[in-house]
Amino acid sequence: MDARNEGRVYVRRRGRSTAAQERALVELAPRYVVTPPAHGRDWDEAFGRAGPLLVEIGFGMGDALAAFASAHADWNCVGIEVYRPGIGALMLACEREELANVRIVEAEAMTVLRRHRAASMNRIHAFFPDPWPKKRHHKRRLVNAEFAQEAARCLVPDGVLALATDWREYAEQMLLTFETSPALDGGETGRPPERPQTPFETKGAAAGHHITDLAYRRI
């Protein structure tokens, strides 16, 4: 089954693609957009090499993923996103910076995690997932007990799960969720060097939002 059609994806309407992003979606997608490997397979074929694997869930406009890929040329970097202007923006950044170590999966994140081989990811990033602040929408949030279980299953021993949010109540929910996960150890941290300050974060901080970073290690 096509991962894009498995499960329901909730996406806020956040503007339209620019002409350059539309061009990228047509011309660059064959180079960067891939189907994730099924259970038991790895990413060697998609990248043409073996290497430590970073998976960023919901990369937005791709700022953090492009920065990590640029600073870690030996890593294979996969971004999961359904927001098409963001996919276009990341492909443009990869073309501009000549990043050969980035691939994109246009799919619902949990579908990809459920199908992924266990103990195969070295890092998982989820920076500023939609907080869905209304109580009736909390079920749409990325971080819940199933996410914690699947992230832990996919990480190698000592692999790292890093998250960030500018919604304090969501941060508190994350902390409670991971406290009950026997396979993950960690908690609140400062902003890590691998997460650059994005325009989204700058805007949130200017509005008085508290930025919370969390990091967990696979036991």
Side-chain angles (χ1 to χ4, degrees):
M1 179 182 292
D2 190 333
R4 291 173 297 181
N5 299 322
E6 190 176 333
R8 186 170 183 179
V9 182
Y10 296 97
V11 184
R12 293 180 185 271
R13 187 179 297 277
R14 292 176 290 178
R16 298 181 179 181
S17 299
T18 65
Q21 290 163 0
E22 288 290 348
R23 177 188 67 80
L25 289 167
V26 173
E27 297 179 5
L28 301 181
R31 186 188 314 172
Y32 295 107
V33 179
V34 298
T35 301
H39 285 305
R41 297 177 56 203
D42 54 35
W43 285 91
D44 293 3
E45 182 178 348
F47 285 95
R49 65 176 191 179
L53 180 65
L54 160 73
V55 174
E56 181 168 342
I57 295 170
F59 56 75
M61 301 305 286
D63 304 88
L65 185 56
F68 188 97
S70 179
H72 302 82
D74 58 323
W75 282 62
N76 294 333
C77 301
V78 175
I80 303 173
E81 183 57 85
V82 293
Y83 180 53
R84 305 210 82 204
I87 294 172
L90 177 57
M91 289 191 290
L92 289 172
C94 291
E95 181 185 44
R96 182 173 60 251
E97 300 176 30
E98 299 182 346
L99 300 178
N101 59 332
V102 174
R103 298 294 184 272
I104 298 168
V105 176
E106 185 180 359
E108 189 270 333
M110 286 305 302
T111 298
V112 178
L113 292 182
R114 292 186 197 109
R115 295 174 54 173
H116 211 276
R117 184 164 59 91
S120 58
M121 300 179 185
N122 297 84
R123 295 188 70 91
I124 299 174
H125 292 172
F127 297 145
F128 303 102
D130 197 320
W132 294 105
K134 294 182 180 179
K135 189 173 182 178
R136 68 176 184 272
H137 292 156
H138 285 186
K139 63 181 180 293
R140 301 180 180 183
R141 288 176 170 177
L142 170 69
V143 177
N144 55 29
E146 184 188 8
F147 172 79
Q149 178 181 338
E150 289 298 326
R153 185 186 65 80
C154 289
L155 284 169
V156 301
D158 285 332
V160 173
L161 168 64
L163 308 99
T165 181
D166 67 336
W167 199 262
R168 187 61 197 177
E169 185 271 334
Y170 196 10
E172 292 169 356
Q173 177 194 320
M174 291 179 182
L175 287 164
L176 290 172
T177 297
F178 294 120
E179 278 180 7
T180 62
S181 173
L184 296 169
D185 180 54
E188 192 168 347
T189 66
R191 182 168 65 87
E194 60 269 10
R195 186 179 72 74
Q197 186 166 353
T198 65
F200 176 88
E201 180 181 358
T202 301
K203 183 178 179 180
H209 295 184
H210 176 77
I211 309 300
T212 302
D213 280 276
L214 305 171
Y216 292 87
R217 189 171 298 276
R218 177 68 164 91
I219 300 172

